[in-house]
Amino acid sequence: MTLNVRVIPVLLLKNGGLVKTVGFKDMTYVGDPINAVKIFNDKEVDELLFIDIQAAKENRRPNFELVSRIGREAFMPFGYGGGIRNLDDMSRLFRLGVEKVTLNSCAIENPDFVEEAAHNFGSQSVVASIDVKKDALGKHWVFDYRNGSATKLDPVEFAVLMERKGAGEILLNSVDRDGTFDGYDIEIIRKVTLPVKVPIIALGGAGKLEDFGKAVKMGGASAVAAGSFFVFHGKHRAVLITYPDKDALRKAFSS
Amino acid sequence: MIVVVDYNMGNIGSILNMIKKVGGEAIISSDQEQIKNADKLILPGVGAFDAGMQNLAKLGLISIFRKKVTEQKTPVLGICLGLQLLTERSEEGIMQGLGLVDASTVRFKFVSSSGLRIPHMGWNSVVIRKESPLFHDMYPNPVFYFVHSYHVVCRNAEDILSTTDYGYDFVSSLQSGNLFGTQFHPEKSHKYGMKLMKNFVELVH
């Protein structure tokens, strides 16, 4: 048999609370992280991913106290990203119950750190997180969220490099689709999944269940992630934390 | 007191978190005395087989661990690599395992057309094959979280507690007397894992 496709809510942390962005801007406060974990426990979510979107920008370490509180309530695999700069940070996070760390800005700065991390903790616990943005000509570039601008890195080449350095998974996030509900950027997912063997997790743009199926069938993604899809409800975007039931998910991937 | 053996192999905080959640008391330790005095032991672990055995040896824990299992009959739960270390050997390495259960560890082998990836990572069904305190009162159709590239093969079919289908049926948990092992991660498996962990915590020996 093949495994069910993993469906992963991505929760953004800022000042100890949860926020959600559109196009990496326009932040909305969506609630308390511990409360969200409890809801996702009840809904038997496959995995959770927390990303502190301020830590690296402010050049600070992960908020270990908050991660510890999350760990005490999260009885599913959960990842953490944001502000990780060395192996000690990673060790501390694993001791608090984190299953995987995602590396983003430090992977751009120093790809060898991914290698060091994979060597020390195993590839299965290292996720390379790549943000991508299209330029006016429609070409995709790796995006550096710290200064809000594109780098000169080609996302496909960078993903291949990350795999070679030992990343066990790649989280591919479209800045253009972030918070839009317009569906995933299938084009870039397809381009990255072709040469890369490790699982690609698609992120950015999911608005309905069918989008999950498309990312897998048309894009070749191994897992799907989303933010707004799990925290907003209806056209007025009322905050409501939800997760589809198992039958609905099975249908989304089988049709 | 339950001791979660700390031998520098992977993320063990979540095991402690879950034991506390189900009302148990546990500590994380690599201290020989604390391990000698433990009522129950959990051998966790993520990583390579040889590195795991080397770390246990470096900490001087191998003979202590053997004595606990064979003489004192202390209940032990091996999780993932921790389960594999209880076997005699693994295709992943050249070192001898603890050899406490009549089993060995092999790599997943698929025909190339299967499209199955290694590691086996994600949620999968666990089919219970035998009555055991570990699965006492388990919810119907249990699913657990797996991350592994190797799995255990039991020589004694009676030791098999459950199997899971990934390309073929493999042993996803076992019991040999006071020795228990799960290839999956109960500490990451919602109510199913919580139930299993509670069963281990409440086990009377």
Side-chain angles (χ1 to χ4, degrees):
Chain A
M1 68 164 288
T2 50
L3 289 173
N4 295 331
V5 178
R6 290 171 291 141
V7 178
I8 308 168
V10 176
L11 302 170
L12 306 181
L13 299 166
K14 195 197 171 199
N15 301 330
L18 291 181
V19 296
K20 186 62 202 82
T21 52
V22 178
F24 278 37
K25 295 178 203 144
D26 302 334
M27 237 171 262
T28 311
Y29 176 78
V30 296
D32 170 65
I34 308 301
N35 187 40
V37 169
K38 287 180 178 166
I39 295 170
F40 283 124
N41 264 336
D42 288 342
K43 299 196 177 290
E44 296 181 26
V45 64
D46 292 336
E47 280 183 46
L48 279 182
L49 174 57
F50 289 91
I51 296 179
D52 185 330
I53 56 172
Q54 284 297 106
K57 275 188 188 172
E58 294 171 357
N59 201 19
R60 82 178 152 66
R61 301 262 84 82
N63 182 342
F64 294 106
E65 191 274 328
L66 177 59
V67 177
S68 154
R69 283 195 289 130
I70 291 170
R72 286 201 292 272
E73 292 299 332
F75 299 108
M76 73 289 278
F78 78 99
Y80 172 86
I84 297 156
R85 280 289 174 277
N86 53 51
L87 297 177
D88 275 353
D89 289 344
M90 291 183 67
S91 246
R92 270 181 86 177
L93 291 167
F94 292 139
R95 285 190 170 265
L96 297 176
V98 170
E99 173 83 6
K100 303 169 184 182
V101 298
T102 68
L103 304 175
N104 185 312
S105 54
C106 71
I108 295 176
E109 259 170 33
N110 178 17
D112 288 341
F113 181 67
V114 174
E115 192 166 24
E116 232 179 292
H119 179 75
N120 273 272
F121 302 106
S123 290
Q124 82 291 332
S125 55
V126 181
V127 181
S129 160
I130 307 177
D131 299 327
V132 292
K133 191 170 173 38
K134 260 187 188 181
D135 66 15
L137 301 171
K139 161 111 183 82
H140 290 90
W141 299 98
V142 175
F143 181 84
D144 189 337
Y145 74 94
R146 287 171 303 174
N147 53 25
S149 63
T151 63
K152 295 270 177 262
L153 296 165
D154 175 83
V156 179
E157 285 170 19
F158 191 64
V160 169
L161 175 69
M162 288 295 101
E163 178 182 43
R164 210 172 64 225
K165 294 289 181 190
E169 292 178 83
I170 289 169
L171 177 70
L172 188 66
N173 187 10
S174 163
V175 178
D176 308 300
R177 301 295 175 100
D178 177 47
T180 62
F181 292 93
D182 287 342
Y184 291 101
D185 184 342
I186 301 294
E187 183 196 343
I188 189 64
I189 298 169
R190 184 85 206 128
K191 277 187 184 155
V192 173
T193 52
L194 276 176
V196 174
K197 291 262 185 328
V198 297
I200 305 293
I201 309 166
L203 174 61
K208 46 190 187 308
L209 274 171
E210 296 85 82
D211 292 334
F212 293 156
K214 281 186 193 163
V216 174
K217 271 167 283 182
M218 293 161 63
S222 298
V224 292
S228 301
F229 180 88
F230 299 113
V231 297
F232 292 129
H233 185 72
K235 65 175 178 186
H236 298 296
R237 302 199 174 194
V239 174
L240 177 72
I241 291 179
T242 58
Y243 191 76
D245 66 47
K246 302 281 168 208
D247 287 339
L249 286 174
R250 206 169 299 130
K251 257 182 235 157
F253 293 113
S254 65
S255 55
Chain B
M1 179 74 85
I2 297 174
V3 174
V4 182
V5 181
D6 180 8
Y7 61 116
N8 291 318
M9 295 302 285
N11 23 354
I12 55 183
S14 47
I15 296 175
L16 206 62
N17 288 338
M18 189 175 260
I19 292 173
K20 283 183 185 155
K21 184 77 181 181
V22 299
E25 276 184 60
I27 52 164
I28 291 177
S29 175
S30 54
D31 179 76
Q32 298 186 355
E33 286 308 308
Q34 279 179 325
I35 290 169
K36 271 183 201 161
N37 293 324
D39 299 323
K40 285 173 194 168
L41 289 169
I42 293 183
L43 190 63
V46 172
F49 190 87
D50 283 359
M53 286 309 298
Q54 278 159 5
N55 288 2
L56 283 177
K58 251 185 265 172
L59 292 164
L61 295 179
I62 291 181
S63 61
I64 294 172
F65 199 84
R66 282 216 180 93
K67 213 178 255 178
K68 290 291 283 183
V69 174
T70 54
E71 289 172 22
Q72 295 181 33
K73 305 287 181 199
T74 305
V76 169
L77 175 62
I79 298 174
C80 197
L81 176 66
L83 157 65
Q84 297 174 3
L85 294 180
L86 300 175
T87 70
E88 284 156 8
R89 71 186 75 83
S90 170
E91 288 181 1
E92 190 183 11
I94 53 167
M95 297 201 49
Q96 286 242 302
L98 292 165
L100 293 165
V101 57
D102 199 3
S104 62
T105 302
V106 300
R107 189 172 166 85
F108 274 113
K109 284 179 200 76
F110 307 124
V111 288
S112 54
S113 60
S114 73
L116 295 174
R117 286 171 191 256
I118 298 174
H120 170 223
M121 180 170 64
W123 292 82
N124 206 339
S125 298
V126 165
V127 181
I128 298 167
R129 299 288 178 188
K130 199 182 148 189
E131 288 262 323
S132 157
L134 213 51
F135 287 109
H136 178 68
D137 258 348
M138 182 51 72
Y139 300 96
N141 308 315
V143 287
F144 286 87
Y145 183 75
F146 290 82
V147 191
H148 62 123
S149 304
Y150 295 79
H151 65 84
V152 162
V153 177
C154 288
R155 250 178 305 276
N156 187 351
E158 290 200 347
D159 292 341
I160 299 171
L161 284 190
S162 72
T163 58
T164 290
D165 178 9
Y166 191 58
Y168 47 86
D169 283 337
F170 70 91
V171 177
S172 48
S173 67
L174 60 77
Q175 178 185 358
S176 171
N178 51 317
L179 208 66
F180 299 86
T182 65
Q183 186 57 65
F184 49 80
H185 289 270
E187 75 279 15
K188 299 280 178 191
S189 300
H190 294 302
K191 65 180 182 191
Y192 308 100
M194 239 177 255
K195 183 78 205 174
L196 187 146
M197 205 61 105
K198 193 166 197 291
N199 285 338
F200 183 72
V201 167
E202 291 173 355
L203 190 73
V204 183
H205 82 287

